[in-house]
Amino acid sequence: MSTSDDPTTQTVRTHSTEHVITAGADASQRTPTWKKVIRDPQAAITIGLLAAIFLIGALTPLIAPHGPNDADLSMVNAPVGTSGYLLGGDESGRDIFSRLLHSINTAAISALIGTTVALIVGVTGGLVGGYFNRATQSITEWTFALLMTLPGVLLLIILMPVTGGDYRATMFVFGFLLAPGIYRIVRNLVLGVKNELYVDAARVSGLGNVRILGRHVLSIVRGPIIIAAAFMAGSAIAVQSGLAFLGVGSTEIPSFGAMISSGFRNLYVAPAQFLWPSLLLGVITASLVLLGNALRDTLEGSKPKAKKVGAGQRVVADVERDGPTDPDALLVIRDLGIAYPGVDGAPNEVVRGVNLSLAPGDVLGLVGESGSGKTQTAFSTLGVLPSEAVITGGSIRFDGRELLGLDDTSMAALRGSAIAYIPQEPMSNLDPSFRVGSQLVEGLRAATSMPRKDAKARVIALLDRCGIVDPQRTFDAYPHEISGGMAQRVLIAGAVASRPKLLIADEPTTALDVTVQAEILDLLRDLQHELGMAVLLVTHNFGVVADICDRIAVMKEGEIVENGAAEEIFGAPRHEYTRMLLGSILDEDAVRTDPPAAVKGVAS
Amino acid sequence: MTLYILRRLAAGVMLALVILLIVFLLISSSFDDTARTMLGQGATPESTAALVEARGWDRPVIVQYVEWIWHAVQGDLGQSAFTSLPVRSAVVDRLAVTLSLIVPALLITAILSVLLGVWAASHGGVIDRFAQGISLVGHIFPALLLAIGLVVLFGVELGWLPATGYVRFGDDTLGWLRSITIPVIVLVIPGVANMSAQVRGRMIDELNRDYVRTLRTRGISSRSIVYKHALRNAGSPALTVMSLEFIQMFGAALIIENVFALPGFGSYAFNASLQGDIPVILGISVFGVALVTVVHLVTDILNGWLNPKARVH
Amino acid sequence: MSLLELEDLRVSYPGRGFRARHVEVLHGVSLDVDHGETVGLVGESGSGKTTIGRAVLGLVRPSGGSIRFASQEISGLHGRARRGLASHIQVVFQDPYTSLNPSMTIGDILAEPLVVHGATSRDARSRVRSLLDQVGLPNDAIDRLPREFSGGQRQRVAIARALAPGPQLIVCDEPVSALDLSTQARVLDLFVDIQRETGVSYLFVSHDLGVVRHISHRVAVLYRGDLVETGDAATVTSTPEHPYTQRLLLAAPVADPARQREKREERKRLLAAHA
């Protein structure tokens, strides 16, 4: 089968209800990068400004009225506006304007040499150090560590006898000193990309190392390199100016640093002299920094924003505080709506009109596929929705009390003591820097203000109860020292420590092996009986629901489509979607029966 | 732990030896120039050669290197080729001046950066925009321009602080404070700009992590989450930034010392380099490398304390 | 003669740190896959099931034993010789989000393996069209980026990429575990249909007995680097002999409250009996 009209290649058409996401929403992401950059005003202005300055620099031989070192004794410290000496003369009678123009070129060459050397050395080092085996990695790592061990400026000064102070040689050396920064960026990106499955897939497809580096790795590294280049050009110019200011290098070379130095010596005689080169140097370096920032914003996308910690959930709707209460229910969610800002800023409702009710001691399974809004519903009950989320309406009533509109302090008082939470990923939900025990003790004391000693004893007893063999050792362990199954037991112990009335478990066994899952489900079932707590179990797994839940609510695209006793729904699902989901389960009857396929059209 | 420190120190010494060897090899090309400079106007090829031989500079570089290391280990860094003054005490004197700028600047930078970064990350809104504004402004201008601008403003125009000159700490504490105020400010501004942005970014990352949500569901206060949990986890990358900031400041200090006419490491290195004063250049290198090694070591030890995964048993 | 034969395959990874001891993750596994056959490889995390797949693909180097493909020893091959196998052995990975390069269009992703093996870009393009057709994706997908597709669709793209060179064996590493339930069933059906059409063999790695049962002719069960049980799919996945397989089978919950209650009791009896 090598061409499309090969008779053995028949199209396999499976009935597909998956819809292709409309291209409209993503069109903006496919604009070529350079267009995106040009459209950003900050990038456009700084690029324009830098282009204009360096163009003028390139035209210097044509437009400068004097040579950079032409001294005229009659023009010593000539004032601004002297004929032929637009910005006046300096301490040696040289034309400040002409020297300024020539200095642009010195700066441009410095930036060019420094950045180019840094890019060549850093990118090569980063690609080699990140992609190849461990021995190569340690060698490059050590070499670049060596480069970083001497303060750059000091090394440049010390090496004056070697470079002869020529600014081009100095910038060449400086390029090596800048290289570790680039090396770090590239190496980290490559290390990340190297473990991406698409690189493995490319290798399986028969691509060689060079091709993989060029095609798959370099394309990821390109953006960050361009950004870094802008910043490096700025620091190369700044360092060259600093060194020239110190007097490193030939006095014949016109540069901002040398001009500032000369103006600075003349500060009391002609205060304006140091101003011109400072101004131009400032404009160039500032433009490069601002350009780098603008490139970062457009190429790397928006970074997560800072938000107020403990601001509580945003509720836009008027919450009905004194609505009818159901005395038999512990948790009543009515008509809940949750929205996130969409691509164009318009709110995008991920939860719509959700109604749920949970009696004390009941176990309710909230089932749905990814993106159905089940986790959002659970988070809103805990009061821990992300700050971008907005509750657009409804009511969440816990133990007769309305939760929507409560501030974070009141919610914090409820959380941990009356409502508790078990997360999906055990490892990422423990603070890596604190011992397991101290995290649990802190939580328990926040909920109950128990003395530390009692809290510790209770936590150790709980760890023991949760099936941890050596509770004292786990208490003293750091999260990275325990296994995933163990970590989930720790999190369950943390959740039930203050005997909550309601436990919200968000896919508590999804990240675990199936044998560990069975043990954790046993533990949850036992604890639920012992403590008589209600459980809201969020899951996509009908097996887990069948194992532990009394009642089921099925969610689809933000809405609850079916709600009822577990036996009823498994026995006679009413809604078409529920039937479809149950029908998709690969049950014990679904054994493959057809024999191995006959071999046809074997690849030549 | 002691073993770890010893191992790190040994690695640092190795690194220093390699760097000094490189400096030796590079400098060895200019022995003749140095001899000529020492002899001044009357230098002839014969007298230059005689001086080179007298100094032992004609011997193989490796031999000179080993000999120099041998003396250095015993605390003898030799004498200046020009002034015959002992290198060690001169370098220490000059380094003290530079460090008296950098150490206060680094402390102030660290405190301000953590305050500003944590504050911005955990409050958002206006405070966050203010912090980002500060970091942008501080990034834009090279230290040299800041130094000159502040000297002109406070030293010359307003006359509040001495524009140039250095007062020794032991002689007049207040005078010392006044003499280092502007240089320290010049170092602090870009330092805070860089480090507060890093702290802010790390804090935002940490506050978005899963464990923060889980801690919140246990009723733990926002204050504990921000200042105890998130800050500790953001701390170890921030420390790395701080050690790089130290090296950065050291480089910047060498340049701005000149603006303020401070008798620091920068001008000393510059003069030695200009003359090709080889013993002094080597002395400066060894102290520069030692300084950086110690800073990295301290950073690693603090890192191990903050981050249990990095801890070495 | 089987298409793929593993004999006493061993793999060890270097331990952490300098000169650390090597950790063996596969302790001598023997297994074979016939033409047109699916062999399911089941195990929990740390069992070494993914490592077997990666060893066959040449992504990890075995420390012992042999891997023979079409009677040729391939475990020691690298460089050009190994790359030559690309048209015979292909892969579909678990995560449809990271197995496609986010910055390449679907057309480029699918054409890459073809162009590497010397196809002209025009031939490659027409082949890509027929591949898209084969996996049930619309023709206009060719100029789009992976992020414009859902998880199930991306997995279809990954399958198309694997089919591109017309391989005899596809290693499937948990190819449906990241998918939603309803998508999972359809993608599995696609795998079966393609096998019937082309006669390709699958080495199908999964942690999920249900999935393996659905697609495999034969099943092998791995536990901590050892093969504990091998046999035809129906037997191994419904009446297993080895205690570990029994435990695995009983631990997987079934979507029926009454049957699950029985299963749970049975599991507890088994555990008590072995305790």
Side-chain angles (χ1 to χ4, degrees), chain A residues 23 113 171 191 267 333 340 344 394 464 488 507 510:
Chain A
I113 296 176
M171 283 297 116
L191 281 178
L267 187 61
I333 297 178
Y340 279 82
D344 47 354
D464 189 31
Q488 194 60 298
E507 305 262 12
T510 307

Side-chain angles (χ1 to χ4, degrees), chain A residues 149-294:
Chain A
T149 306
L150 258 192
V153 176
L154 183 63
L155 188 67
L156 294 178
I157 293 174
I158 292 173
L159 288 183
M160 248 163 52
V162 181
T163 58
D166 184 320
Y167 78 98
R168 285 164 301 196
T170 308
M171 283 297 116
F172 184 82
V173 177
F174 186 62
F176 282 88
L177 299 176
L178 282 173
I182 290 287
Y183 162 77
R184 283 275 144 98
I185 295 174
V186 174
R187 186 206 53 180
N188 289 345
L189 284 167
V190 172
L191 281 178
V193 171
K194 190 171 86 167
N195 296 326
E196 292 282 1
L197 291 173
Y198 65 79
V199 171
D200 280 341
R203 210 169 290 153
V204 173
S205 294
L207 269 73
N209 281 335
V210 175
R211 251 179 133 134
I212 291 176
L213 279 174
R215 245 187 117 91
H216 292 276
V217 178
L218 214 52
S219 64
I220 306 292
V221 178
R222 202 172 44 201
I225 289 178
I226 295 174
I227 297 162
F231 290 120
M232 286 193 309
S235 61
I237 292 175
V239 164
Q240 196 276 328
S241 307
L243 290 172
F245 178 84
L246 282 184
V248 175
S250 158
T251 44
E252 298 286 295
I253 302 291
S255 78
F256 296 130
M259 291 184 72
I260 293 171
S261 171
S262 142
F264 193 57
R265 279 195 297 274
N266 253 357
L267 187 61
Y268 295 96
V269 183
Q273 276 183 13
F274 86 90
L275 198 64
W276 310 114
S278 300
L279 212 59
L280 197 51
L281 174 63
V283 168
I284 292 175
T285 53
S287 298
L288 284 167
V289 170
L290 290 170
L291 174 61
N293 281 343

Side-chain angles (χ1 to χ4, degrees), chain B residues 184-215:
Chain B
V184 166
I185 291 173
V186 171
L187 292 176
V188 164
I189 288 175
V192 170
N194 182 25
M195 216 176 131
S196 71
Q198 300 274 1
V199 172
R200 171 185 173 274
R202 296 296 179 174
M203 281 298 288
I204 292 176
D205 287 351
E206 285 304 322
L207 288 170
N208 280 324
R209 290 204 197 282
D210 287 349
Y211 73 81
V212 166
R213 187 196 304 120
T214 300
L215 289 172

Side-chain angles (χ1 to χ4, degrees), chain A residues 458-479:
Chain A
R458 172 113 158 236
V459 165
I460 289 184
L462 267 168
L463 289 175
D464 189 31
R465 171 66 196 86
C466 289
I468 286 169
V469 184
D470 188 347
Q472 181 65 50
R473 197 165 130 198
T474 304
F475 186 93
D476 290 327
Y478 283 101

Side-chain angles (χ1 to χ4, degrees), chain B residues 4-113:
Chain B
Y4 171 68
I5 295 175
L6 284 176
R7 231 178 28 219
R8 282 302 318 262
L9 270 176
V13 169
M14 277 300 295
L15 209 59
L17 288 178
V18 172
I19 293 208
L20 284 168
L21 180 63
I22 294 171
V23 173
F24 237 96
L25 290 172
L26 288 172
I27 294 284
S28 63
S29 63
S30 59
F31 283 157
D32 288 348
D33 295 340
T34 304
R36 223 170 288 124
T37 316
M38 284 170 75
L39 291 168
Q41 297 285 331
T44 61
E46 293 76 32
S47 62
T48 308
L51 183 60
V52 166
E53 204 184 324
R55 288 262 163 179
W57 290 343
D58 54 341
R59 293 174 302 155
V61 179
I62 286 297
V63 174
Q64 297 185 51
Y65 170 71
V66 171
E67 188 186 78
W68 186 86
I69 296 288
W70 177 244
H71 287 296
V73 171
Q74 296 164 323
D76 173 19
L77 294 180
Q79 287 121 33
S80 161
F82 291 88
T83 62
S84 297
L85 291 172
V87 170
R88 196 181 63 175
S89 59
V91 171
V92 169
D93 279 354
R94 297 303 195 106
L95 195 59
V97 175
T98 304
L99 285 180
S100 77
L101 296 184
I102 298 176
V103 172
L106 195 68
L107 285 178
I108 295 170
T109 300
I111 292 166
L112 287 181
S113 298

